[in-house]
Amino acid sequence: MAVIKKDLLGLEGVGQDELTEILDLAVSMKEVMGRQIKKVPALRGKTVVNMFYEPSTRTRVSFELAAKYLSADTVNIAASTSSAVKGESMRDTATTLEALGADLVVLRHPMAGAPHLLAKVGNFGVLNAGDGFHGHPTQGLLDMFTIREKKGYLKGLEVAIVGDLLHSRVARSNIWGLITMGASVRVCAPPTMLPIGLERTGVKVFNNMDVAVEGADIVMMLRMQLERQQQGLFPSIREYNRLFGLNKERLALAAKDAMVMHPGPMNRGVEISPDVADGVQSVINDQVTNGVAVRMAVLYLLAGGGSSEVDN
């Protein structure tokens, strides 16, 4: 794991071999989750600190369960109850965590680059749980794991990512990871929600959703981040749903066995209709389950565990 020997800050620059190693290990971790006693001693004696400066349910609980299934001690810190509200710098926070004996720190932060700063100043492993609009590497990994689990492979698949790409760290991590693994990625959004220069990543860019999802093997919908929509980037929610919402009619344009994905939380009736979200082609709940297995794998690898410890 040369690229993420100490930290996992993003998927850009992580090679195919490293990604495959994580995905392969997650298979074993999911087997652990299926046992009557969901526990292995792989990280016994290690301390994992979860620091979330933004609200989260799936990611925060997923990381906590992942650490506990690996027998690590966990500490959860929310921004509202930390010294950050008193103006403490990231450097001083790192010094404090180091003095308290943290081995791994999982950080979600509204500012892009915050995990990178923490990794530079802290003598512990850092795992990016989402930083600003930059990246969300474990979400990208769990999405790839889910696709590979259901389809059996990633190379050559046509993946359509639709929605608020401008504000989506999930989209960025999926684009980096999927292209590295040989998938073909299409993206679709209103012109006002497309990052400048996105074509340089190797994706195909569309403004028409019907064209974007035609023949796609995977349709990945992104949450409309209403809390960030103060700039008036689209006329109305009804208009957005009409042009970029996934319903049964649009899903019928994709491949017959197309999978529907969403990182959550969903705005039902905005970017996705309830019947599609709960339909037979949806793997949204599988994504949540697989998130624990993938995060177990990443925590385990960053902590330098041995394979025999997983099998016990």
Side-chain angles (χ1 to χ4, degrees):
M1 299 300 299
V3 176
I4 59 170
K5 185 174 182 180
K6 173 180 173 288
D7 313 301
L8 179 59
L9 305 176
L11 295 188
E12 63 273 49
V14 181
Q16 190 173 115
D17 290 345
E18 287 81 13
L19 293 174
T20 300
E21 182 177 2
I22 296 170
L23 298 179
D24 287 347
L25 181 57
V27 175
S28 298
M29 295 302 183
K30 190 167 182 179
E31 187 275 324
V32 171
M33 292 171 60
R35 299 177 186 177
Q36 187 172 2
I37 299 176
K38 305 176 182 68
K39 185 83 76 170
V40 289
L43 297 189
R44 181 180 293 162
K46 300 286 187 180
T47 299
V48 177
V49 178
N50 294 317
M51 294 185 64
F52 278 69
Y53 288 78
E54 287 184 319
S56 172
T57 299
R58 292 159 188 77
T59 304
R60 180 181 56 79
V61 174
S62 182
F63 268 114
E64 185 175 358
L65 287 174
K68 287 182 175 180
Y69 290 166
L70 293 169
S71 300
D73 297 312
T74 60
V75 178
N76 297 311
I77 301 174
S80 60
T81 58
S82 75
S83 292
V85 299
K86 301 177 181 178
E88 183 174 71
S89 69
M90 187 66 71
R91 180 180 294 275
D92 288 338
T93 297
T95 301
T96 301
L97 293 174
E98 191 173 319
L100 291 172
D103 296 296
L104 294 169
V105 176
V106 178
L107 178 65
R108 168 168 286 190
H109 202 281
M111 300 301 293
H116 298 72
L117 174 60
L118 188 65
K120 285 182 180 178
V121 299
N123 189 27
F124 41 71
V126 176
L127 214 161
N128 181 2
D131 63 326
F133 303 153
H134 171 246
H136 194 347
T138 57
Q139 181 69 45
L141 287 164
L142 76 87
D143 289 342
M144 288 189 289
F145 180 84
T146 303
I147 295 170
R148 196 181 75 160
E149 180 182 59
K150 299 295 184 182
K151 295 290 187 181
Y153 59 96
L154 289 165
K155 187 175 182 180
L157 289 175
E158 290 284 346
V159 182
I161 303 177
V162 182
D164 187 2
L165 289 149
L166 183 65
H167 300 104
S168 180
R169 54 194 173 205
V170 171
R172 287 168 175 79
S173 289
N174 268 292
I175 288 168
W176 289 319
L178 286 166
I179 288 178
T180 299
M181 295 301 291
S184 178
V185 180
R186 316 167 183 178
V187 298
C188 180
T192 53
M193 295 183 188
L194 282 170
I196 296 173
L198 191 58
E199 298 89 344
R200 293 196 292 269
T201 64
V203 303
K204 300 174 185 175
V205 179
F206 297 87
N207 297 131
N208 185 311
M209 186 174 174
D210 292 347
V211 177
V213 302
E214 187 175 0
D217 300 297
I218 314 294
V219 181
M220 183 182 298
M221 301 305 297
L222 301 174
R223 181 174 71 90
M224 173 52 60
Q225 300 189 33
L226 300 173
E227 71 276 14
R228 307 190 199 271
Q229 298 298 338
Q230 306 306 315
Q231 309 98 315
L233 298 179
F234 60 95
S236 68
I237 292 176
R238 178 180 292 181
E239 182 76 358
Y240 181 86
N241 174 257
R242 185 177 70 83
L243 295 174
F244 296 96
L246 183 64
N247 51 36
K248 282 188 174 180
E249 291 72 28
R250 283 209 169 99
L251 182 57
L253 300 173
K256 187 175 180 180
D257 60 346
M259 289 166 41
V260 174
M261 307 183 77
H262 194 299
M266 290 182 285
N267 295 308
R268 291 172 178 262
V270 179
E271 69 265 7
I272 188 168
S273 64
D275 55 351
V276 171
D278 301 325
V280 295
Q281 290 173 264
S282 171
V283 295
I284 295 170
N285 288 333
D286 297 277
Q287 289 174 265
V288 177
T289 300
N290 290 339
V292 180
V294 165
R295 286 164 181 136
M296 287 174 70
V298 173
L299 289 170
Y300 176 78
L301 289 168
L302 292 184
S307 60
S308 61
E309 294 171 298
V310 176
D311 298 331
N312 289 339

